[in-house]
Amino acid sequence: MQFQGRVWTVASFAEGRAGLVGEDGALTAVLLSLLFADTDFEVLGEVQAAAIPPLGLLESLPDAVRERALAWERHVREVETGFPDAGDAAGEPRAQYDPRTRTLTQREEAKAAELSAAGRPASAVTVRRMRARYRREGVWGLVDHRSTRPHTHEGRVDERVVAAVREVLEAGRERSDGTLERLRTYTERLLAERHGQGVVALPSRTVFNRLVHALADGRGLLGSARQRRWRSARPAPPFLPTAVMAPGELVMMDSTLLDVLVVLDDGVVERPELTIALDVATRSICAAVVRPKGTRSADAAQLLAQMMVPAPLQPAWPQALAMEQSVIPYRRLLSVDARLEGAAARPVITPQTVVVDQGSVFVSSSFIAACQSLGISLQPAPPGNAPAKGQVERTFSSIKTLFVQHVAGYTGAHTGERGKHPKGEAVWTLRQLADMFQEWIICGWQSRAHEALRHPMMPQRSLSPNEMWAALVAVCGYVPVPLGCDDYIELMPVRRQKINDYGIRFDYRTYDHTVLNPYRGERSPAADGLWEIHYDPHAPGQIWVRLPDAGRRAGYRFEAVPWIHHTLVSEPFTDFAWQHIRATTARRGSRVQHEHELALALRELLERAAAGCGTHREKAVAARARTAHTAHAGGAVWGILYGRPPGTATPETPAQVHEAIEDEEVPAGEGAWGTRPSELTPADAGACATAPEDARLSAPRRPQVTVYDPVEESLRW
C-alpha cells in the first residue's frame, strides 16, 4: 500500500491499528481511521473485481464465434476452480482438475489434452494464454477477434486515391450536379498534380464507383446541389429542440416567392413575394404581407405592427371567422382590450424575440431600429442556415400545399412541375390574392390541427394554433399594445440628414416645405447634429422629419415634407421605379437640372405604361409601382390593422392631424370617435379630421385599453 508518499506492507491488524513495514525495514503502527482518511492512501496491486460480460457485444458476434468464446469460458473456469459452472461448486470436481490434488500446470496440460482429443487441437500454452485473457477482459478476451476487426469502406484501395476522392467530394459541395465520370476525371487530375502523371493508378470503374458511394452516401455528398447546400448549412449536432412556452417568446420572420402568378396593373403577370411572421409557441401566422417582388424593410416593420393589433373581420368574410365565434376566450379578452370588438379569429401577439435570416431587409438599420423602438430582441440566424428557422420554412411548404397550389396561375416549384401555359391561368390581382390569403389564414390555418401543438393534459390530441393560443393566454396573460400615428412613422426606414437652404436632399430627390424654415442650417439636438428623417419606399412623394416641440409630451413632433416635384409626377410611384429611372437616365447638367430630368423621365415612363406603350421592362416597373402603392397607401395595409375602410381621405401632414384632434371638444384622454390620439394612424386621424361634425358627435366611443393585472387575471380565468 501507499501512505504518506512511501510504500508499505501491512503486517498486522490489532485494536483498530495497522502494523506497517516499509521497504527499508522500518516498522510503524497507524490508526485505521487516520490511514483511510489520508489523501495519499492507495492499495497497490489490488485485484480488480470481475467485470460484467459485455452482453451487447457478444450478441453482435456470429453464432459460432460466440459459442466458441462461451465454451472457452467453461474450460478456463474448470482449470482454475475445478468446476466448469459456478453452480456446480457444491459437488466434486473431476480428478484431473481437482485443485487439491493437481497443480495448475497439471490442470492446464490436462485441459490441452482433453481439447486435442475432442478434435480442437490446443497446447498448455494456449490454455495459459486464454486464462490470462479471461482475467483481464472476461468473456470478451476469449473471443476470436478476427471477426471483430472493423471493416473499412475503402477496402484495399490506395490511401492516396481515397484522400483524393475525399478532397474532390468536399470541393464539389457548392458545384453544380455532375456524373461519377466527372468525379473520376477530377480525381485523376488531382493525383497527377500531387504525385506525378501515372504514379498513382485509379482502380477500375466498378471499384471506384463503389468507393465514391461508400465515402459520400453517409455524408450527403452525392445528392442534388440543393441538398448538399442544405446539409453543409446545418449546425453541428447534437440538435436540441427549442422549448417555447409563451406566445411571442420566439417569432420567426422570412420571405419567399409564391409559386403563383398574379396580374399587376397593365396586365403584367408576375410572381408575388410573401413575408410572414410565425409564432413558434402557437404556430400562428400572426401577420402576413403579399407584395410585388422586392420586399422592403418597411414591409417587414409592418409585420411587427400587424402582430400587435387585432385584425378586423372584413365585410365579405363569413361571421364564423369572427373571434367571438372561435375557441379564443373572446369575452375575457374584450374586457381587457376593446379593440377586439368585431375582430377576426387571429391571435394578437406581442413578440419578444424575432429570428430572421441575413437578408438585407431584416438586417437593415431601419428594421433594427423598429425592433428597438418596440422593445423587441432581434436574433439573426447564421448565414445560409435554413434549419435555424425550420419552423417558418416548414410553414412555407404547408402554405404551398394547402393554399397556393389551389390558386389559379399556380406555377409549381420549378419548371419540371410547371404546366403548359400558367400565365394564361393567372386571373387574380395582387390585392385579390392578398385578401384571399388573409382570409385563408383565419379559416384554413388558425383553425387547423397542427401535429406539433400538444396540450400537457391532452398529449394524444393535436391542437390548432387558435386552441393553443387560447390555452397559453390563460396562463401567460394578454397585454394590449396600442399603436398610434407616430408609431406608424417610427416603423418607417430612417436616414439622418442636414436641413439645408434648399431643403433635404437624398437619392437625387429634394424635399422642402415652410415648416423647415426655423431649422435650415441648424444642428439637431442629437450628438451628430443631423436631423432624423423617416421615408416610405412605397410612397417616396413625401418624408417625415422629427422636429423638437416643447408643447408635446414626447418633446417632438413629426412634420411631413413633400417632394418638390410632386406636382410634376402625379402618378403613384415607388422607390423601385425611381431606381429604374436613375439607372436609365444619364446626367448631363447640374444636380438640380438632373433631378428635374429624372422627374420628367419618371412621368413619361408612367404615362407610357398607362397608355399601353413602352417596353416590357417599363410596363413591369410601372405596374409594380401602382400595385405596391395601392397596397400600401390609402390604408390597404394599415386600414386592415385598425379597421379603417379603404379609400378614406388622409391629411397632408401629421401636424394637421393633431390640430384636428385638439380642436375637438372631447373628454380628456380621448380623441374623436372615442379613440385616444396615440392610437391613430395618419389615415385614421385624417378620417376624424374630415368627417362631418354630426358624424363625429354621434359616433360611439370605445373604452380605453386597460392595463393587465396578473393577480386579478389569475382569479378570473
Side-chain angles (χ1 to χ4, degrees), residues 669-705:
E670 293 190 357
W673 293 358
T675 308
R676 293 183 296 177
S678 60
E679 297 179 2
L680 293 175
T681 64
D684 291 324
C688 299
T690 58
E693 184 69 20
D694 296 340
R696 281 181 275 171
L697 294 178
S698 60
R701 300 179 183 275
R702 293 192 294 180
Q704 297 183 10
V705 176

Side-chain angles (χ1 to χ4, degrees), residues 65-81:
V65 176
R66 182 173 61 254
E67 293 298 332
R68 182 181 178 87
L70 295 177
W72 265 112
E73 181 185 24
R74 300 180 75 254
H75 293 313
V76 169
R77 188 178 294 167
E78 186 175 23
V79 169
E80 292 186 343
T81 65

Side-chain angles (χ1 to χ4, degrees), residues 15-40:
E15 298 179 355
R17 292 177 297 176
L20 305 180
V21 179
E23 292 179 318
D24 55 355
L27 302 175
T28 185
V30 183
L31 293 175
L32 293 179
S33 58
L34 180 62
L35 179 67
F36 296 151
D38 191 274
T39 57
D40 194 44

Side-chain angles (χ1 to χ4, degrees), residues 442-708:
I442 299 173
C443 65
W445 180 263
Q446 292 299 128
S447 59
R448 183 177 182 271
H450 198 293
E451 288 296 326
L453 301 179
R454 304 281 177 168
H455 194 281
M457 304 301 295
M458 300 179 294
Q460 296 183 350
R461 181 177 180 272
S462 301
L463 302 182
S464 68
N466 277 351
E467 290 174 336
M468 195 66 182
W469 187 64
L472 293 180
V473 76
V475 178
C476 304
Y478 172 76
V479 181
V481 179
L483 296 178
C485 166
D486 290 347
D487 298 319
Y488 165 70
I489 300 174
E490 290 281 6
L491 293 176
M492 293 182 182
V494 182
R495 294 179 65 100
R496 302 195 67 83
Q497 298 281 144
K498 291 182 179 180
I499 300 179
N500 299 304
D501 291 339
Y502 52 80
I504 300 172
R505 179 183 294 163
F506 66 90
D507 203 13
Y508 284 90
R509 293 192 302 270
T510 303
Y511 300 86
D512 201 4
H513 195 269
T514 56
V515 296
L516 301 180
N517 289 341
Y519 309 100
R520 298 182 190 272
E522 299 291 334
R523 291 176 57 88
S524 72
D528 57 1
L530 301 178
W531 297 90
E532 182 179 332
I533 311 298
H534 291 256
Y535 66 97
D536 187 351
H538 295 290
Q542 66 177 352
I543 60 174
W544 285 265
V545 185
R546 188 194 298 270
L547 298 177
D549 191 345
R552 296 186 183 275
R553 180 183 303 177
Y556 67 88
R557 72 181 188 277
F558 281 109
E559 290 287 354
V561 180
W563 183 34
I564 61 175
H565 295 296
H566 71 280
T567 57
L568 186 62
V569 183
S570 57
E571 291 290 329
F573 71 98
T574 63
D575 186 67
F576 177 80
W578 180 259
Q579 297 302 331
H580 172 76
I581 290 298
R582 281 196 55 191
T584 57
T585 304
R587 179 173 177 176
R588 292 185 293 270
S590 64
R591 186 183 183 92
V592 175
Q593 182 181 355
H594 183 54
E595 181 177 354
H596 187 264
E597 292 176 353
L598 290 175
L600 291 176
L602 178 61
R603 184 181 69 176
E604 293 174 1
L605 167 65
L606 299 176
E607 290 177 351
R608 286 199 309 271
C613 304
T615 64
H616 177 75
R617 174 68 174 174
E618 291 177 343
K619 291 180 181 180
V621 169
R624 285 191 192 180
R626 275 194 281 275
T627 304
H629 183 84
T630 302
H632 187 76
V637 173
W638 290 91
I640 290 175
L641 300 182
Y642 295 93
R644 185 181 59 78
T648 307
T650 58
E652 293 184 3
T653 64
Q656 296 178 3
V657 175
H658 293 288
E659 291 173 2
I661 296 175
E662 291 170 359
D663 289 342
E664 293 294 327
E665 295 181 359
V666 294
E670 293 190 357
W673 293 358
T675 308
R676 293 183 296 177
S678 60
E679 297 179 2
L680 293 175
T681 64
D684 291 324
C688 299
T690 58
E693 184 69 20
D694 296 340
R696 281 181 275 171
L697 294 178
S698 60
R701 300 179 183 275
R702 293 192 294 180
Q704 297 183 10
V705 176
T706 59
V707 179
Y708 173 76

